[in-house]
Amino acid sequence: MKHKALLSAALAAVITATGTVGFAGSTVQIPMNVSAADDGNDDWLHAEGSRLFDKNGKEVWLTGANWFGMNCTENFPHGLWSADVDVLLSQVADRGINIIRFPISTELLLSWMSGSPYSCTGLNPKNTDGYSFNPDFCHADGSEMNSMEVFDVIMQKCKKYGIKALVDVHSPASHNSGHNYELWYYEPSSKTADDMATIKEKEGKAGTQISWQDWIDSLTWLAKKYANDDTIIAYDLKNEPHGKRGYSGTTCPSDIARWDDTELKNNWKYSAEQCANSILKVNPNALILVEGIEQYPITEKGYTFDTPDVWEPKTEEDKKWYGAWWGGNLRGVKDHPVKPASGTGQIVYSPHDYGPSVYAQTWFEKNFTEQTLLDDYWYDTWAYINDQEIAPLLIGEWGGHMDGGKNQKWMELLRDYMVKHHINHTFWCLNPNSGDTGGLLNATFSEWDSAKYALFEESLWQTKSGKYIGLDHQTPLGKNGLSLSQFYASGEGSNLDAGGPGGQGHSVSDNPPVQQTTQPPVTTTAAPVTTTAAPVTTTSVKEPVSEANWGDANTDGKVDVSDAVLIARYLVSDVTATITDQGIRNSAVTNGTSVVSDDITKILRFIAKMINKDELAPDPQTAG
């Protein structure tokens, strides 16, 4: 207990809630202009087994919400016609939402890629002497920014508040009902393709078909544009691929989403692999989210996508297909997993799941429980992927009305299941203008539904003392939250895996994974780690000592707050903190021979850019 008390004091001196860091009476004020200071591009994630890890091999948990509008004809996230973007995003961060899923249309992306971004309809920002509303969406001359410029500003503000983003291709066309279209490209046999898979905007070439290649090229273009900015950490390739086989014919229709080993464009597994390959070539660090489809044949009986469905089968034996929510059916993963050329280390499967207020599915007909939902639908449809350590899951949409009945019961059961099993998720949605679910915000996008938020809030990543945990290593999540570095340095547990083991998650075995890889080392269920330093065993490590990399205590090749934390733990004789001989050599920035408390202050001054690399090295005049 004595060591823990000393360590707590040391860590409190190193990282404080105000952004001031120091040791033994010396104080360094870290610049709080985080949008400018947070340029480390150090927040990329990767998958191992069913979990997601950061660059240091520490587990993370994505717990967020959806904010739609860029998929619609307005071309910007809804609500910014009445809500101030800074007020809204600061509220999102302060309430613990660490990632926002932004639906967008391929049509809008194509306008950006072509160099002729669509304008926003109904945004109406102002920045004049007499009136100011969302002034950051205006140019210096007062004119309104286009949709791409508005999006870029929103990404900058997400960075400012410690929020990450994932982009979801919600529909081919900019269309307020575009999610109803089955596929991700124009398919001539579809009855709705001319309405939902062609250019709609007057500013575009109206009527132009949105092709399969357009879908890949436009999403790849965005991934390349943001390849050196880790605000957007993931791409959801297509919202809710769906379509039913039908009851006649001997071949699968070309206007529904299928999942098999063919190389057909409507084979979602094949298309997802091709799009993932393209994105990962320009940004190998991006997470790739792959949703499910609607129907999957009962392959264990020999049925395929060519097998016609049966109208109202009378017995279980008569059934030939498994049904699901749109985008919810991931049964195909067991037979045909998505395998990009670079490996599966960036793949996350992302089903959608809803309650009876959206549609009265058969699994809701009984007095359902978590176990009946698993038996009747969840497990074989998507939960097995997490349980069998195939890949991580992110429930991309879940939510609904607070009815005090079945729908609310379903939300609570799914929430608790996700918390217990480290399942990532984004709630549907912030927007109040979602007809079949409602939202977390009221009609003015300014007040929160306290009851719905209270239900949702229990699923947000937070410490046992109630601090929300962000996904940025440098910037805390709003005024009530922590950065990743702060969380792992604190040693405090969280609600990840319902608080066990210890609530700090799992760590990658051996060394942290190398950045830029999509095939990282295999995970283990090692005990939780409490710092961001790389070596964390109690075994002393003897190794040849080379020329010093001053300040790099954990020998990971860079100098950051995790080095200061490791030195603080070493100085208070924390037996779980290992520092190698090379690390001791690197840490002795004051006298060049031994580690002292002044080394922490000097390293922090370097991190704060108050001294340069040459000045970080020991002064030859005073070095022993």
Side-chain angles (χ1 to χ4, degrees), residues 92-399:
V92 166
D94 292 346
R95 283 168 172 76
I97 293 169
N98 64 23
I99 188 166
I100 297 176
R101 179 176 180 258
F102 288 96
I104 199 168
S105 70
T106 296
E107 178 179 353
L108 186 61
L109 289 176
L110 287 171
S111 80
W112 296 358
M113 185 176 73
S114 69
S116 302
Y118 289 170
S119 59
C120 298
T121 302
L123 182 60
N124 299 323
K126 300 293 180 185
N127 190 19
T128 64
D129 292 337
Y131 178 70
S132 178
F133 175 69
N134 279 326
D136 291 335
F137 296 147
C138 294
H139 297 117
D141 63 1
S143 60
E144 182 177 330
M145 290 182 173
N146 63 46
S147 58
M148 184 177 73
E149 293 169 322
V150 167
F151 176 78
D152 289 342
V153 169
I154 292 172
M155 292 302 99
Q156 293 167 11
K157 291 184 181 295
C158 283
K159 184 186 290 289
K160 173 182 176 182
Y161 295 110
I163 302 167
K164 294 301 180 184
L166 75 88
V167 171
D168 146 54
V169 175
H170 214 66
S171 56
S174 297
H175 198 299
N176 291 46
S177 297
H179 60 282
N180 290 316
Y181 186 66
E182 296 91 342
L183 302 175
W184 42 102
Y185 62 94
Y186 184 92
E187 166 51 47
S189 64
S190 170
K191 295 179 181 179
T192 57
D194 287 333
D195 182 34
M196 297 185 178
T198 60
I199 301 297
K200 309 303 293 181
E201 293 277 345
K202 294 179 181 178
E203 297 175 52
K205 296 180 180 179
T208 302
Q209 298 171 2
I210 298 171
S211 70
W212 186 84
Q213 197 62 51
D214 287 336
W215 162 65
I216 293 178
D217 290 347
S218 59
L219 199 48
T220 303
W221 175 88
L222 183 66
K224 185 175 182 180
K225 173 179 165 71
Y226 273 87
N228 294 313
D229 185 338
D230 55 14
T231 306
I232 303 177
I233 59 172
Y235 296 91
D236 188 340
L237 302 185
K238 173 61 177 73
N239 180 72
E240 297 182 352
H242 63 277
K244 293 182 178 180
R245 166 61 181 83
Y247 306 102
S248 62
T250 58
T251 58
C252 178
S254 57
D255 63 347
I256 72 166
R258 60 192 290 165
W259 189 306
D260 53 23
D261 59 358
T262 65
E263 294 187 359
L264 299 170
K265 289 181 178 178
N266 68 322
N267 176 11
W268 178 230
K269 181 260 187 188
Y270 168 74
S271 288
E273 284 178 343
Q274 300 310 304
C275 191
N277 285 337
S278 184
I279 290 173
L280 293 172
K281 283 180 181 178
V282 299
N283 184 357
N285 298 303
L287 293 177
I288 304 296
L289 273 57
V290 181
E291 299 189 25
I293 56 175
E294 181 179 2
Q295 277 192 320
Y296 193 73
I298 303 179
T299 55
E300 55 268 35
K301 293 182 180 180
Y303 300 133
T304 71
F305 278 88
D306 290 332
T307 305
D309 202 355
V310 176
W311 177 258
E312 295 184 353
K314 293 181 174 57
T315 66
E316 288 297 313
E317 189 61 31
D318 292 337
K319 292 183 178 179
K320 298 181 179 181
W321 290 81
Y322 294 115
W325 294 107
W326 289 359
N329 199 328
L330 285 163
R331 288 175 179 265
V333 173
K334 70 181 185 300
D335 300 322
H336 307 286
V338 173
K339 294 182 177 181
S342 56
T344 60
Q346 300 304 117
I347 295 296
V348 177
Y349 292 104
S350 185
H352 291 183
D353 203 77
Y354 279 108
S357 71
V358 173
Y359 186 78
Q361 302 279 14
T362 57
W363 45 91
F364 298 128
E365 292 175 355
K366 62 183 69 174
N367 183 21
F368 59 86
T369 64
E370 177 185 295
Q371 190 58 52
T372 68
L373 290 170
L374 282 165
D375 293 343
D376 296 343
Y377 180 68
W378 286 351
Y379 191 84
D380 290 334
T381 308
W382 51 259
Y384 77 95
I385 295 171
N386 177 79
D387 183 58
Q388 297 176 23
E389 296 290 328
I390 296 170
L393 290 174
L394 186 151
I395 308 296
E397 293 183 16
W398 68 285

Side-chain angles (χ1 to χ4, degrees), residues 453-467:
Y453 172 72
L455 183 150
F456 168 58
E457 191 268 347
E458 293 185 33
S459 69
L460 298 174
W461 195 18
Q462 55 194 283
T463 67
K464 294 182 178 180
S465 62
K467 288 280 189 180

